Amino acid sequence: MLFVGAGPRAIMILERLVARLREHWAADDAREVGASRLHIELVDPHPPGAGRIWRRDQSPLLKLNSMARDVTVFTDDTCTIEGPIRPGPSLIEWAEAWSRGELPEVVIDDEVAAAEARGLRGDSFPTRRLHSYYLEWFFRRTVANAPPGVTVRWRRDTVTSVRPAGADADPPHVVSLASGLQLESDVVVYTLGHNGREPDTATASLLDAADREGLVYVAPDFTADADLTSLAAGDDVIVRGMGLAAVDLIVLLTEGRGGRFTADGGGLRYIPSGREPRLHLGSRRGVPYRSKMSSVLQGEPPRRDILTPAAISSLVNRRELVDFDADVWPLIASELLVGYYRELFTGHPHRVRGDWPSFFALLQTVAWDDPALAAAIEDAVPHPSDRFDIPSLDRPLAGLEFADADAAHLSVREHIATDLRLRTQQENSPAQGVFMAALLSFLALSEIPTERWNARSRAASLPVRWHKFFSYVASGPPAHRLEELLALADAGVVRFLGPDVEVRVEPGRGFVASSPVVPGEKAARSLVDAWLPDSGAAVSDNAALRELATAHGVELRVSDTGFAGSLGRIHTDDDGRVLSAHGAPFATLFASGPFTSSTESGAFTRPASNALPFRQTDRLAGVLFAAIVAVHPAADTAVAVALPGVRASVPGP
Ligand SMILES: Cc1cc2nc3c(=O)[nH]c(=O)nc-3n(C[C@H](O)[C@H](O)[C@H](O)COP(=O)(O)OP(=O)(O)OC[C@H]3O[C@@H](n4cnc5c(N)ncnc54)[C@H](O)[C@@H]3O)c2cc1C
């Protein structure tokens, strides 16, 4: 069997498969010596485990967006999975064990990363470089755990094509690599992560305009890989997008160019190197994603009260398909309100009037946007700053008009400072209740099978509205990145443009950014669109993905489901089987990750949270095991047959 891509998801599926193989085949160990039963090949130009995103070879300034204690690749007792539970250390536990000398097999050969590992704390945000050592160790440990007769190998190469050897889609598949080698594999799993794509119409026209006018335009890209050298010292640069790609960009163009932050009173001061451009940041919301939290819940523990298993099952089992906006969003919104007010009532009872059971009953019966609820909240929560309002969480600048550009800049600055207080001070722990409710809702949505969502939900509401809202509320940058942003604003390196920023190209002036609620405009010779390329499997820059989408006709188009637009993703069933254009599953072609139609869940995850990635990878591993045995029954009977899995050949002239 062969994996196209050897990043975190591939190795986590591999670990789940190896755990099963050990369970089913280890009893045959004695008979197995010398017999080859299965060969697994992982093809990736980047090292296995870390893959492209987490590879060691990148700026040491770039970090994970999660705390070290919130990152694990190991299953635990909370996981509701069929495969064996195989616990192991989280990232912080691994770093501590390494520091104590308990992992002699781990050699951290980069002194900066080694120092980081020694000083790592549970609440540190580790560098991507350090994370690469954890993922690499996990891969090697998984390979070492493979039962006799099972071999695993990483091949440094790129898959360019996967074609059936015969006339139909039955195995073996012929896998062509960029090096010219061809492999034959019975089972192929695509785990090729996020990818670039051909420019869409808007990007293409900006590229043309930049060419025509002699401007610099950096199109949506993986920031760590983008060429930023044309953004010169002192240049004015308009940056669209204030999410995580923008955070990486700002880091690379400031500290990455030699600037430094020093402690200054209670905050930070930025000492420029003089090599930075001046960044003018704008987006639809006009503010960065909400800061990561450091407060903890002090009231009753979180749980799902509105989007309960019973509520989900009644949606799933009714005749009509589920519509996110009409059926699910109102439940999520009420769940967020319950999360917030439960913590306020039970963790800070002196700040409310009345008791939690009565207020909870109200939240269960009155719709989240009913004016009667707003009035009840005013009665029960005397201080306005203790009241929680979902629209202003989502669009904090909505309804504001600014006297001038300075007023808009200062308002965004103030918003960031307030958000930092809200999300990091213990007295504001109800915000943690909102975070937990958002997380539980995110997990709950995975209980709705993909095919039960209607076309509008699959095409727009889930991937755009919900995922963007969730990322903004629950997956923002570490607090220290926002403190740095404030220091950069104070140093004049960063300016905020306000909400709903639009950019046009004007001959002679270059890129011109404006916000409908801020007088004036900002013209600049450079523009960066700081977000990841949209999905577009059929127009991907990744030949293997493009072929899968076009040659096999398996890209999920929303026209298939009667809704205008395109998902640009590979259509899979909930087991991870690739579906043909007619919706029929291929028995030996699988796909998992953000380029597929299944719920996006990332890869590594929080310990002890029955996290979705484990449920997905375990389920896929179970199906893979069945596929291996179905293709090669001999593999399950411990007979030494021709090596099932992968065979290599170099094509003739
Ligand atoms: C910039 C960025 C930052 C992120 N930060 C975080 C974070 O802080 N925390 C978090 O939890 N998640 C983060 N994520 C989400 C990220 O997607 C997951 O953490 C994780 O990397 C997903 O694993 P994956 O294996 O599915 O995809 P990837 O990590 O993208 O791995 C896919 C692999 O497939 C390989 N590949 C692709 N095509 C081919 C081919 N044709 N032939 C051979 N190999 C191929 C690639 O080289 C790559 O190594 C981030 C994502 C991005 C893009």
Side-chain angles (χ1 to χ4, degrees), residues 5 8-9 43-44 46 51-54 65 159 192-194 542 604:
R9 188 152 271 256
V43 182
D44 198 316
H46 297 292
R52 174 184 182 186
I53 307 285
W54 307 102
N65 200 33
V159 173
L192 38 72
H194 293 273
N542 187 326
F604 44 82

Side-chain angles (χ1 to χ4, degrees), residues 395-481:
R395 296 296 302 261
L397 305 182
L400 297 181
E401 299 249 344
F402 300 96
D404 53 28
D406 282 348
H409 172 75
L410 291 174
S411 173
V412 176
R413 195 200 178 287
E414 183 51 33
H415 162 82
I416 298 170
T418 307
D419 186 55
L420 276 167
R421 281 195 296 279
L422 254 182
R423 318 265 298 180
T424 56
Q425 293 179 351
Q426 184 54 27
E427 71 201 49
N428 294 317
S429 66
Q432 180 72 255
V434 177
F435 169 79
M436 288 309 300
L439 195 61
L440 292 174
S441 302
F442 185 88
L443 293 176
L445 294 200
S446 69
E447 291 161 21
I448 302 179
T450 319
E451 64 276 8
R452 294 299 304 150
W453 290 106
N454 68 11
R456 181 172 71 158
S457 304
R458 289 168 78 172
S461 311
L462 282 168
V464 181
R465 178 176 175 191
W466 166 240
H467 277 213
K468 290 196 169 159
F469 174 81
F470 178 78
S471 302
Y472 165 72
V473 171
S475 192
H480 74 88
R481 290 293 191 215

Side-chain angles (χ1 to χ4, degrees), residues 182-437:
Q182 284 194 330
L183 306 174
E184 272 191 8
S185 181
D186 305 310
V187 175
V188 173
V189 189
Y190 290 86
T191 41
L192 38 72
H194 293 273
N195 291 276
R197 50 163 288 165
E198 276 177 13
D200 58 19
T201 320
T203 305
S205 96
L206 283 168
L207 284 167
D208 280 353
D211 206 27
R212 210 174 45 241
E213 300 285 323
L215 307 172
V216 174
Y217 173 52
V218 180
D221 199 353
F222 298 86
T223 317
D225 299 338
D227 178 8
L228 305 176
T229 49
S230 44
L231 306 173
D235 281 359
D236 281 311
V237 178
I238 296 169
V239 178
R240 279 201 296 192
M242 294 177 76
L244 297 177
V247 171
D248 283 355
L249 178 83
I250 294 165
V251 170
L252 292 174
L253 291 175
T254 54
E255 267 189 291
R257 296 231 173 142
R260 291 184 295 117
F261 293 96
T262 57
D264 184 24
L268 285 180
R269 193 154 64 91
Y270 182 66
I271 320 278
S273 67
R275 290 166 51 217
E276 310 78 353
R278 263 195 310 273
L279 305 173
H280 303 265
L281 307 185
S283 67
R284 192 175 61 91
R285 287 191 182 90
V287 296
Y289 284 7
R290 298 280 175 169
S291 164
K292 278 272 180 328
M293 302 262 178
S294 51
S295 59
V296 290
L297 291 178
Q298 59 188 53
E300 286 179 9
R303 55 163 214 245
R304 272 160 64 189
D305 286 301
I306 311 282
L307 199 60
T308 55
I312 292 216
S313 123
S314 86
L315 283 173
V316 169
N317 294 322
R318 71 182 194 188
R319 209 165 50 81
E320 313 89 75
L321 295 175
V322 183
D323 182 80
F324 177 82
D325 299 280
D327 302 321
V328 177
W329 169 250
L331 304 182
I332 294 179
S334 291
E335 197 78 88
L336 299 179
L337 288 168
V338 169
Y340 179 90
Y341 285 112
R342 182 189 357 255
E343 174 64 7
L344 186 67
F345 273 77
T346 65
H348 306 270
H350 57 286
R351 281 154 53 185
V352 294
R353 295 194 195 106
D355 61 274
W356 173 236
S358 321
F359 200 74
F360 177 49
L362 186 79
L363 291 172
Q364 281 179 304
T365 44
V366 183
W368 72 280
D369 52 355
D370 187 327
L373 183 62
I377 290 174
E378 267 186 43
D379 282 350
V381 183
H383 204 289
S385 67
D386 274 338
R387 296 176 198 149
F388 172 50
D389 173 55
I390 294 175
S392 44
L393 170 78
D394 188 20
R395 296 296 302 261
L397 305 182
L400 297 181
E401 299 249 344
F402 300 96
D404 53 28
D406 282 348
H409 172 75
L410 291 174
S411 173
V412 176
R413 195 200 178 287
E414 183 51 33
H415 162 82
I416 298 170
T418 307
D419 186 55
L420 276 167
R421 281 195 296 279
L422 254 182
R423 318 265 298 180
T424 56
Q425 293 179 351
Q426 184 54 27
E427 71 201 49
N428 294 317
S429 66
Q432 180 72 255
V434 177
F435 169 79
M436 288 309 300

